Structure formats: structure tokens, C-alpha cells
Amino acid sequence: MVKVSTDAVQPFEQAHYAALRALAPECAVLLKKNGDFPLNAPCAVALYGAGARETIKGGTGSGNVNVRHYTTVEEGLENAGFTVTTKEWLRGCAALRAEIAAKFEAELVAEAKATGRSYFMVSMGRVPPAPHYAAPIDGAGDVGIYILSRDSGEGADRHAAAGDLLLTEDEKRDILACAEKYKKFMLVLNVGGPVDISAVLPHVENVLLLSQLGSVTGDVFADLLLGKAYPSGKLATTWAKAEDYPSLGDFGLHGDARYREGVFVGYRYYDAAGVEPIFPFGFGLGYTDFETSVTGFAVEDKTAAVTVTVRNTGAYAGRETLQLYYSAPAGKLPKPLRELGAYQKTAELLPGEQASYTLTLPLEDMASWDGAEDAWLLEAGDYVLSVNGIPAGIASLTQSVYTSRLSHACGDADFADWQGEKQRSVPENLPRLAVDAAMLEGAGHFDRARIAGEKLNLPELSDFTVRELATVCAGKYRAGGELSVIGNASARVSGAAGETADIAEEKGFGKLVMADGPAGVRVNKRYFEVESGAINLDLNSSIWFKDLMSPEEWEALQAQQLENERRAQERGEILYHYAAAIPIGTALAQSWNAALQEECGDIVAEEMQRFGVNLWLAPAMNIHRSPLCGRNFEYYSEDPLISGKTAAAIVRGIQKREKCAATIKHFACNNQETDRFGSNTILSQRALREIYLKGFEICVKESAPMSVMTSYNLINGVHSANNQALLETILRGEWGFEGVVMTDWGTTGSAFNRSMGMAGCSDPMLCVRAGNDLIMPGQQDDVDRIVECVESGELSIEELRICAGRILALCKRLRLV
């Protein structure tokens, strides 16, 4: 830990800002162009849209980062030498939005009082409505720019309504007016997920998905506008018209949510349903253009390989993304028309330059899950491979074969999955290579339902009492009720989400300190230290509970905060840690670049070391099942391959630094925020295996994250935190995970869960039995429940020792003492 006692900008902050500014342009996606951009030099710009001055760096909730400062689009343009001619328009828009926000906040306070819930819990994830702003579009300049922004966050989902998924009438009017008035016009999307822009798209010739790029958002946009950098991202999720998004399965419901669409998620659905989206999955333009040709196709050593040549045919430097898809034969199991099998980002290619690349795909990766046999099945027939839409070759399997037989775990759906479209055509005149099915046949049934403690090389725990073991498994509870739940449970690092119990440190194992992610390290900016721990000087978190306190209680809290500030100022004890905000998860995935993603992970890890954080509660990698999930901006993609590969790259970046580990989350099926505590995900074995677990499996096997966080929801009737089949049979048994499993915050706290609208909560004893080692942030009730169950014989001491041992083994592995 490095303690900084000055508010001056530190060299590491400058270095991280420069690094992110160089990396982030690859995350932006050019969706439409006519050649007007980039510009040759700064000029007078007519700048419009709420996102111009109130640019969104990333969404709300635990994924937010308390940065020193981030550049808005307006600032970025002015930093680059542009003159913004629409200051009055921007001031008026900001003033009206502030007025609406104040009214919205008052309504939330009233709702909190009426329902007896805290303001924090009522307001989580909810954003003010879009105001009606009708100032004329009359700024000077030949270049017009409109910044469309959207915000969302943890705790609440988006809505298929104007001002969210849909454009408001004001936005439509102003965008169309800009397109008509200005010789050069660009619509810029400062959003964390899709927005239906179909109403204006035919009239707008330049559209840039800037996304939400963290600390550097505004400066990166200026670099892109001037051609100092270029966009080379591709969409990692489909953008469709609001009425075209699938409604096959349930979303946002209290209680049972049936995933009737099965494996037909994202582009798999649009292909099968014959629906043309606004912008398809994998789409993205650049300032330049590329020509791709297939030059080779081979199948050997159980792997298909496609060689392509890429040539830059445009006038600018750029990078292309090569996307290898396969189309599997529909036989016993219905299949998507195509599925992403591999991808690779090219190096920078100058105008006229070309390069060759070979993409490989293990044949077993094309298998589908056969729920009737609990096995991965490669069906006999033709597997057609293509790169960037160009057919490459056919791997023809002589007979059906099971590549591996695993376990029937996590229950079953009470419905039949949507079947999709079974008919497909196989292109003619392609290279066809026969594959001997026998060489792909897997081993017999594999079901390791429990990993014995002696196989884990766990530390000796004979000197721990039952209560001490239970305390290790229940984190360190910090007094303050819901304050601990909202990410303020660490005493050692101000603003960190939590830490493990003192007893482990007292016995020589050290303490794991955890901070939220995934857009950076979430800690407080200003704090001071006393004997009992670090105290935040930015904002007393109890302000979220002001509306439920008596005037006397609130006055006492404010007096204490003022005393903390006075004491810290008087003694010169104020300390600082300013974190960088990296691009949101969806933006990182849009880079399709593992090296970039790993470098962002390394930036985060360096700050973890400086601030004294050991476990980053990220990356978050749930599937974009619906565009309305309020937390999608934290997640990567609708495709599990991109989700798994992106998470694996970030984990590598985190864990190559000493004393730093990653926590992949939320395991599993966390695909809605509204009523996330009361949601019971009901889905088939096939959908679970192919879509919702596949990314986690890829990440675990490729990067060995040291921790996994379970989700709030139930899966086929069982809390994920209590789901032994999920955690022991699949995660540890089948995938070989050797780290710590922890709960999300507050899943065992019945009072907290009731405030979120859930009937019931996960059981601390069942957490231990299921192999969910660490209950966070922990409370005395958790410890008492575990001890009681051991003493009654309901829970074995060996089960408890294994869970506690895994926590302590991680402390030793990270060399915390």
C-alpha cells in the first residue's frame, strides 16, 4: 500500500490516463460514414445533446469509479482547440436537467419515507426522466455534433420507452435539424447499450458509437474527430428496433423467469427468426476499408484452420477484426444458423498494406449440449466455416460423437425451448474435408461431485475452533446495517467493499481486502486513518439514510463528519487515492482485442497494489440476454465466446501482479436487475451450458481466476449461493476451479433482502455445504447459524474446514503476510 498525503496529481495517474487515451479508441465503433470525418484541424463546432456537457463515463452502482476528474465531450473538444459555438444551448439544457433531477430526487425521498426503505435502496439504478428542451438549433459552424447519452446502473432495469431504449421527440427533432443544417454532421452515441435510432438513421450520414470510455472519454472523442486516433471496434451485441427485440422469454418479472428462447440469444435469434437488425452483431466500420480473402482451409489434429489475407484498400491506417463462424448441422438438436468460433484483431495496416492470418477452431468447440445424455454432442454432417461472411470450407463429420460426458446439474426447465429455424443450405464448390469421428470421442462419464479437502493442499486448521472457522467464512462485519451491504464494509481501505475476518490475520494468514469493479478500483478519494480503520472524508455514506433518521440522529452524524474533517485537517492526516476509470465492459469487448483488455487489467492491478486492495470484484461477465438489463454496460456481450475471452484477458492483467486477484461474477444467469433478489431463472440444461455458463468456463480454464462471486438469483429453484451442483459439480469438479467462491453482498441477510422485495434468502449453512466459501459482507447471524448447524450435526466440521481452508489458502497464495 502506498499512502499519498498530497492532493497533487501523481505520476501514476498521468501514466494511466495516457495509456487509456491510447487504448480506448479501439473500443469505439463507427456505425455509419460518408467520408466527412476525420477533420483536418480544430474548427468551430456546434455541439448539442445532453451528453456533450454531462457526458457519461460509465453507469451507476458498484461499477462506478470515484475518479479525480474525467473529461466530458465539451472539455475534450476545447482541450483539442475546437471552439464550441453553442454554450448558451448547453447551459440551458444542463439547467433544465438539474431542475428535473432535483424534482426526481425529492420524489424518491418521498417514496423512501412512504415505504420505510432507505433512499439508497429506492434510488439504486434509477435515473431522472428526460426533460422537454426545445431551444433552437442555431449554432455557428460547418460542423455539427449531437451527443446522445444514456445512463443505467445496478438495481434497476432499462425501459422500452422514450428517453431510454427509444429516442424522445426532442432528440428526434434536434438530430434531424442538425443533419439538415450542418454541412458536416455526426451523431455520437455516449451510451452503455443499444438505443433504437431507426427513426433518424436514414437522415444521418455519420454515426459513431463512442460508448462510455471512463476517465478519458472526452479527450478520446477529440482524438477520433481529428484523426489522431481511429475507431476500430465492432459490436459485441446486436442493435435492433425496439419492436424487434425477442419477447420469447420472461424478463423483469418477480418470481419465475422462463428463458424459453433457449440457446437462441442475440444474433442467434435474429438469424433464426429472419429479423434484420439496425446494426448486426460483429458490425463496425472504420475511417478506412478492408478487403478480406480466404487463402487456405485445413483440418488436422482435431482442429479446423482458416487462413485469410487482409488488405487495407482505403486512405487511412486501420485495424480489422477477423471473425470465424461455423454453421453446425441441425439433426437431433436444433442449431443456430451460425455461431462465433474464433476471432482475431489484425495489427495496424497502412493504406495498401496487407497481411495474412490463420484462425483456428478446435472441432470439439462446435459441439452442442445434449441434455438427454448430459454430454457434448458433435452431430454427423457438414460444418461450414466462414470468415467475415466469406465461406471458407466444410468439415464433414462421418458420424455423430459425444466429445465428453459430464453431469446433470442445476435442474430442468418446465417447458420446451424455442426451436428456431432448422432449414439451412450448404454452399457448393467449397473445400470439403472428411473428419474421422472416432478421434473426437471423449472419455466416459465424469462426475466429481465434491473435491476432498486433502486434495486441495489446505492449511492446517486444528487450532481453529468451530466458531473461528465460521467467522473466517463470514467476512468482517462492519456495524452500520445496510451500509455494509452497499460497499462500505472495509475498515482497512476507505470505500472498499469489504474484507475477511480479523481472526485469520491474528493467526498469521493475513486479510483479503476487496474493492468493487469492473470499470476500475472503487474506493473513496479522501480519507484519514484512526486506530479502528480508515474513515471517508468525501461523503458520509449515512446521507443515504437521512430521510429515515430523526433530526437529532442526522445532526449527530453530521457533527461527527465535521469533527472528522477538522481533526484530519488539523493534524495534516488527510490521505488520497484517486483511481482511473477504464472503459465500461461492453466497450472493452467492442475492441475484440485481448492485448488491450489485458493492459486495462494491468492498469487496475497497479492501482490495487497502491491502494492496498487484494481482490477486485470483477470482471463482470453475464450475457446480454436483453438490452433492457440495467447492468449490461458492465458486461461484455450477447456471445459467450467474447464474454469468456474478454474476461480471461482482464483476469490475466490483474493476476500477473503480486498480491492481486480477480473475482469473476455473477455466477450465474444474472440477466436482470429489477427484482434481482426475487428472480428464479428457469432454463434448460442446454441453454445453461451453451450460453450462460460457457463464458465462465472459458475464463476459468484459460486464466484461472482466484475467486468467483455467485449471483443473487435462483437457478431452477435453488439460490446460486446454495447451489452445490453449480459450485462443486460444475465449477470445481468439471472445470477444475481451485479458488474461493464468495456470495454477492447481503444474500443471507433476510432484513436486507426483504427491503429489496424478496421472500426468503440464501442460507449460510447451505452456502458452506454448497462450497460457497465466503459470505459477504458477513454478519453475526451468519456465524451463529453455521456454528449451530455444526453443533447439531446438520453441517459437518469437515465441510466447514474445507471452505475456511480455501479462504486461508488464498491468503497464503497471495502472500498477504
Side-chain angles (χ1 to χ4, degrees):
M1 179 187 296
V2 179
K3 295 183 180 181
V4 177
S5 58
T6 173
D7 197 31
V9 176
Q10 299 298 297
F12 84 89
E13 295 180 71
Q14 296 172 319
H16 289 177
Y17 195 95
L20 290 170
R21 186 168 178 176
L23 294 169
E26 284 198 50
C27 302
V29 185
L30 188 61
L31 296 174
K32 193 173 181 182
K33 66 176 182 177
N34 69 350
D36 284 346
F37 298 92
L39 302 175
N40 294 324
C43 59
V45 169
L47 183 61
Y48 300 96
R53 180 166 288 185
E54 299 174 85
T55 305
I56 308 298
K57 77 177 190 304
T60 66
S62 62
N64 189 19
V65 181
N66 298 317
V67 298
R68 178 192 293 272
H69 180 72
Y70 72 94
T71 52
T72 66
V73 167
E74 182 182 18
E75 288 176 314
L77 292 177
E78 292 181 331
N79 290 344
F82 287 89
T83 300
V84 176
T85 65
T86 50
K87 291 286 189 178
E88 184 176 348
W89 194 100
L90 295 174
R91 279 193 294 268
C93 181
L96 181 57
R97 286 173 63 85
E99 180 182 326
I100 295 294
K103 179 181 178 182
F104 182 67
E105 181 178 351
E107 291 171 351
L108 293 179
V109 169
E111 181 180 339
K113 289 181 177 179
T115 59
R117 298 165 65 196
S118 72
Y119 172 79
F120 179 88
M121 293 304 174
V122 169
S123 65
M124 182 181 285
R126 295 168 65 179
V127 296
H132 174 63
Y133 186 63
I137 301 299
D138 59 1
D142 289 334
V143 177
I145 297 172
Y146 189 98
I147 311 296
L148 179 76
S149 65
R150 291 291 187 268
D151 204 1
S152 65
E154 179 180 7
D157 288 317
R158 298 177 60 193
H159 301 283
D164 197 339
L165 185 62
L166 301 173
L167 298 178
T168 66
E169 292 304 314
D170 289 347
E171 289 169 336
K172 293 178 190 176
R173 179 198 64 229
D174 291 347
I175 291 169
L176 293 175
C178 285
E180 182 178 355
K181 178 178 177 63
Y182 296 103
K183 182 178 179 181
K184 296 181 178 181
F185 172 64
M186 177 181 282
L187 172 60
V188 179
L189 307 174
N190 172 224
V191 299
V195 177
D196 183 353
I197 60 171
S198 58
V200 300
L201 188 59
H203 310 282
V204 177
E205 295 183 322
N206 296 282
V207 180
L208 175 70
L209 172 56
L210 178 63
S211 196
Q212 296 167 347
L213 303 179
S215 298
V216 299
T217 302
D219 282 332
V220 167
F221 175 65
D223 291 342
L224 292 169
L225 200 61
L226 290 171
K228 294 180 178 179
Y230 52 81
S232 63
K234 305 287 184 182
L235 292 180
T237 204
T238 305
W239 283 45
K241 294 180 180 179
E243 61 267 26
D244 288 340
Y245 282 109
S247 57
L248 298 169
D250 301 328
F251 176 82
L253 300 181
H254 178 78
D256 296 341
R258 290 174 171 81
Y259 287 24
R260 296 182 183 87
E261 69 277 9
V263 299
F264 292 91
V265 176
Y267 67 89
R268 293 166 171 82
Y269 165 78
Y270 295 103
D271 288 349
V275 175
E276 184 176 352
I278 302 174
F279 300 112
F281 172 85
F283 176 78
L285 306 172
Y287 287 152
T288 194
D289 299 296
F290 295 96
E291 180 181 85
T292 302
S293 58
V294 174
T295 56
F297 175 68
V299 178
E300 54 186 37
D301 297 329
K302 304 181 183 180
T303 299
V306 179
T307 300
V308 300
T309 297
V310 185
R311 180 171 174 263
N312 184 342
T313 60
Y316 298 93
R319 303 183 72 176
E320 177 66 303
T321 298
L322 303 172
Q323 304 171 40
L324 172 62
Y325 293 87
Y326 65 89
S327 176
K332 177 181 181 180
L333 303 174
K335 306 286 175 44
L337 292 177
R338 63 186 175 119
E339 298 182 73
L340 184 66
Y343 58 90
Q344 184 174 351
K345 191 83 169 269
T346 71
E348 181 177 87
L349 297 177
L350 300 177
E353 188 176 6
Q354 69 178 35
S356 293
Y357 296 88
T358 298
L359 288 81
T360 60
L361 174 60
L363 297 177
E364 66 179 2
D365 287 359
M366 296 189 289
S368 301
W369 181 259
D370 183 351
E373 298 290 335
D374 298 326
W376 288 103
L377 171 65
L378 275 173
E379 296 202 63
D382 292 335
Y383 292 77
V384 182
L385 278 67
S386 62
V387 175
N388 290 16
I390 306 169
I394 299 171
S396 185
L397 196 63
T398 56
Q399 65 184 52
S400 297
V401 61
Y402 288 104
T403 61
S404 61
R405 294 181 180 273
L406 300 173
S407 308
H408 191 91
C410 299
D412 296 289
D414 57 2
F415 55 86
D417 286 350
W418 187 64
Q419 298 296 295
E421 175 58 61
K422 292 186 177 181
Q423 302 300 318
R424 68 200 64 213
S425 60
V426 176
E428 299 180 357
N429 303 319
L430 284 181
R432 180 187 298 273
L433 299 175
V435 177
D436 181 8
M439 70 175 181
L440 297 170
E441 189 169 6
H445 191 76
F446 176 69
D447 183 3
R448 187 172 60 184
R450 184 80 180 176
I451 301 177
E454 59 270 15
K455 294 182 180 179
L456 295 174
N457 192 28
L458 298 180
E460 175 59 45
L461 302 178
S462 58
D463 62 334
F464 280 76
T465 67
V466 170
R467 182 161 292 275
E468 287 173 337
L469 290 171
T471 301
V472 169
C473 291
K476 179 176 180 178
Y477 179 66
R478 190 176 187 183
E482 290 180 356
L483 294 181
S484 291
V485 177
I486 65 174
N488 192 31
S490 174
R492 177 157 297 180
V493 177
S494 178
E499 58 194 45
T500 49
D502 293 338
I503 186 63
E505 189 169 36
E506 293 167 5
K507 289 183 178 284
F509 289 93
K511 179 185 290 288
L512 291 164
V513 177
M514 308 150 203
D516 268 321
V521 186
R522 182 174 171 82
V523 290
N524 292 327
K525 295 182 288 187
R526 298 170 65 250
Y527 67 101
F528 82 112
E529 295 179 332
V530 296
E531 186 175 344
S532 60
I535 296 178
N536 179 23
L537 291 174
D538 286 322
L539 174 69
N540 190 316
S541 296
S542 295
I543 194 170
W544 298 110
F545 299 86
K546 175 182 177 181
D547 52 287
L548 295 182
M549 295 179 182
S550 69
E552 294 77 18
E553 290 172 325
W554 176 246
E555 186 177 339
L557 276 172
Q558 290 298 94
Q560 182 61 57
Q561 183 73 358
L562 290 173
E563 175 59 23
N564 290 340
E565 180 75 26
R566 184 200 64 76
R567 175 182 172 183
Q569 292 280 4
E570 184 179 86
R571 301 187 181 185
E573 294 174 340
I574 297 179
L575 298 172
Y576 305 85
H577 31 48
Y578 289 108
I582 65 174
I584 61 171
T586 303
L588 289 175
Q590 287 168 181
S591 75
W592 297 60
N593 185 338
L596 178 152
Q597 295 152 359
E598 185 170 333
E599 190 167 347
C600 285
D602 185 63
I603 288 171
V604 171
E606 183 182 348
E607 295 186 356
M608 289 170 63
Q609 288 181 323
R610 296 186 66 89
F611 304 153
V613 172
N614 312 115
L615 274 180
W616 191 44
L617 303 180
M621 51 181 303
N622 293 106
I623 292 294
H624 291 179
R625 176 179 176 247
S626 165
L628 298 181
C629 177
R631 216 166 175 179
N632 272 356
F633 70 95
E634 293 189 37
Y635 307 148
Y636 299 126
S637 177
E638 65 192 29
D639 185 82
L641 181 69
I642 291 185
S643 296
K645 295 282 188 181
T646 302
I650 293 171
V651 169
R652 288 193 296 270
I654 294 292
Q655 295 189 170
K656 67 184 178 184
R657 286 188 177 263
E658 189 178 68
K659 297 186 179 181
C660 294
T663 304
I664 60 174
K665 65 183 185 183
H666 306 86
F667 194 59
C669 303
N670 191 93
N671 306 113
Q672 70 177 56
E673 285 299 298
T674 299
D675 194 41
R676 56 183 173 165
F677 282 79
S679 176
N680 176 28
T681 301
I682 301 178
L683 77 172
S684 66
Q685 286 272 322
R686 185 181 178 195
L688 180 68
R689 292 280 190 165
E690 290 190 29
I691 303 296
Y692 300 100
L693 295 187
K694 178 57 71 173
F696 287 97
E697 179 181 5
I698 291 169
C699 184
V700 167
K701 291 181 176 180
E702 291 192 0
S703 65
M706 297 186 200
S707 180
V708 170
M709 180 190 292
T710 55
S711 52
Y712 286 125
N713 56 286
L714 294 78
I715 299 175
N716 288 332
V718 180
H719 282 282
S720 66
N722 294 163
N723 199 320
Q724 187 175 33
L726 180 69
L727 305 182
E728 291 291 353
T729 303
I730 295 177
L731 177 63
R732 291 195 171 98
E734 295 177 4
W735 302 349
F737 177 71
E738 295 181 347
V740 166
V741 176
M742 71 174 71
T743 68
D744 206 336
W745 265 230
T747 62
T748 61
S750 58
F752 171 67
N753 289 341
R754 281 196 299 272
S755 76
M756 297 297 287
M758 176 184 176
C761 54
S762 60
D763 187 325
M765 181 274 289
L766 292 179
C767 283
V768 174
R769 174 164 292 168
N772 195 327
D773 311 299
L774 183 58
I775 300 167
M776 291 301 297
Q779 57 183 337
Q780 190 60 49
D781 286 349
D782 296 327
V783 176
D784 294 342
R785 167 70 172 157
I786 293 170
V787 171
E788 175 187 324
C789 290
V790 172
E791 291 176 345
S792 69
E794 192 174 357
L795 180 70
S796 74
I797 184 66
E798 183 61 21
E799 289 174 307
L800 181 56
R801 281 184 176 140
I802 289 174
C803 287
R806 282 194 284 247
I807 297 166
L808 300 176
L810 180 55
C811 292
K812 291 179 67 176
R813 182 179 177 186
L814 292 176
R815 299 184 180 91
L816 300 185
V817 291

